[in-house]
Amino acid sequence: MPWMETVPFPPEPLTLKYLWDMANKVNVMQVEDKQELRKRIWGVLEDNDHLRTSKSCFGRIPNFKGAYQAAERLRKTKEWQDALTVFSSPDSALIDVRRNALVDGKVLLMATPKLEEGYLLLDPGKIRGQEEMASTIEGAFQLGKRIKNFPQVDLVVEGSLGVDLAGNRLGKGKGFADQELAFLKQEGVIGAQTPICTLVHPQQIVDQVPVEAHDESINMITTPEMVIRINIISSLNF
């Protein structure tokens, strides 16, 4: 049975009203077809002006409004503070996560777009003062280095199109995040206890994500309003 923990931010009493208000932001979408679910989520985000870019999000991992606040919320967690090395997908929604990692002195590993150039490592000690640029894809190529031998990864942050409270995630349909997670597991640099987080707008949380055998799951969700840790408090009580 899936579980989760809710952490209000800024600090305030964890009241039933707070949980009720958050629960009412969760979309209930019960569809078996992944592509139909993708279209629905893209449509909801665009139709309700939830994007922080003028570009259409169709076919992409959404760069949603509130991504900065979600990154700041993640920054306050124990998982973030304990992490020495952070892995991030190259999605634009995670640019604030990548910048925060470098500003906070964490080693940043980043997948390159479509995994065409493998993986990059950015050493915060070597790019001091250039964290803003290094958090972009172009800057990461300029200031990072390609690697084949990976250090231990303490926190993984993946972009998502949708996610449910059981930890199932929905990507844009190309399978890159699943490949990244499978590779990190194969290399032995992440394990069963490694926090694997995704940042989403509340409207990207759905009732159920259809799952296939190759799909990799996550165990932590961060929105602008809250942190959800799978397997802590019963989602049936949410």
Side-chain angles (χ1 to χ4, degrees):
M1 179 182 296
W3 298 68
M4 74 173 195
E5 177 184 8
T6 57
V7 180
F9 178 85
E12 61 184 38
L14 191 59
T15 64
L16 290 176
K17 181 181 184 303
Y18 181 86
L19 293 178
W20 177 256
D21 289 344
M22 289 308 304
N24 279 312
K25 293 185 178 182
V26 177
N27 286 318
V28 178
M29 296 183 183
Q30 294 187 356
V31 296
E32 296 182 359
D33 182 74
K34 282 186 174 182
Q35 192 57 24
E36 178 61 27
L37 181 55
R38 289 185 182 102
K39 291 178 182 178
R40 292 193 190 186
I41 297 173
W42 282 323
V44 165
L45 295 175
E46 288 206 354
D47 293 346
N48 292 279
D49 192 28
H50 289 322
L51 303 175
R52 58 176 179 177
T53 174
S54 59
K55 292 182 179 179
S56 172
C57 68
F58 275 75
R60 305 171 183 268
I61 297 297
N63 189 4
F64 62 94
K65 288 181 179 178
Y68 170 82
Q69 290 82 358
E72 289 299 307
R73 183 177 298 281
L74 175 62
R75 201 178 190 182
K76 301 293 184 182
T77 65
K78 186 177 187 299
E79 290 86 349
W80 179 272
Q81 293 168 7
D82 288 347
L84 300 178
T85 301
V86 174
F87 178 94
S88 172
S89 60
D91 302 300
S92 55
L94 303 183
I95 190 169
D96 304 295
V97 170
R98 297 193 293 272
R99 183 191 61 246
N100 287 349
L102 295 170
V103 169
D104 292 350
K106 303 179 187 298
V107 174
L108 175 64
L109 299 180
M110 191 182 89
T112 60
K114 300 180 181 180
L115 292 174
E116 291 178 345
E117 301 289 338
Y119 300 88
L120 302 173
L121 183 147
L122 293 103
D123 184 340
K126 295 181 178 179
I127 59 171
R128 189 61 60 196
Q130 302 180 83
E131 294 89 353
E132 193 78 33
M133 179 180 178
S135 63
T136 67
I137 293 173
E138 180 181 4
F141 273 108
Q142 292 181 22
L143 299 170
K145 65 177 182 180
R146 292 178 179 83
I147 60 166
K148 293 184 178 180
N149 297 319
F150 284 66
Q152 196 69 28
V153 174
D154 304 307
L155 172 65
V156 176
V157 188
E158 288 285 353
S160 295
L161 174 56
V163 66
D164 65 26
L165 297 181
N168 302 310
R169 69 171 291 281
L170 180 72
K172 59 187 177 183
K174 304 298 183 180
F176 296 121
D178 293 324
Q179 293 178 51
E180 292 162 15
L181 292 171
F183 176 78
L184 294 175
K185 290 178 181 179
Q186 177 185 317
E187 292 294 299
V189 298
I190 66 172
Q193 302 304 314
T194 305
I196 302 176
C197 183
T198 193
L199 271 61
V200 294
H201 188 281
Q203 293 292 309
Q204 292 173 253
I205 301 175
V206 301
D207 183 69
Q208 184 176 4
V209 171
V211 177
E212 298 177 75
H214 65 271
D215 291 333
E216 297 283 346
S217 61
I218 54 96
N219 52 36
M220 188 172 175
I221 303 168
T222 304
T223 76
E225 297 86 2
M226 68 195 311
V227 174
I228 302 169
R229 294 177 177 86
I230 311 300
N231 297 330
I232 302 285
I233 298 175
S234 173
S235 62
L236 297 179
N237 296 327
F238 177 71

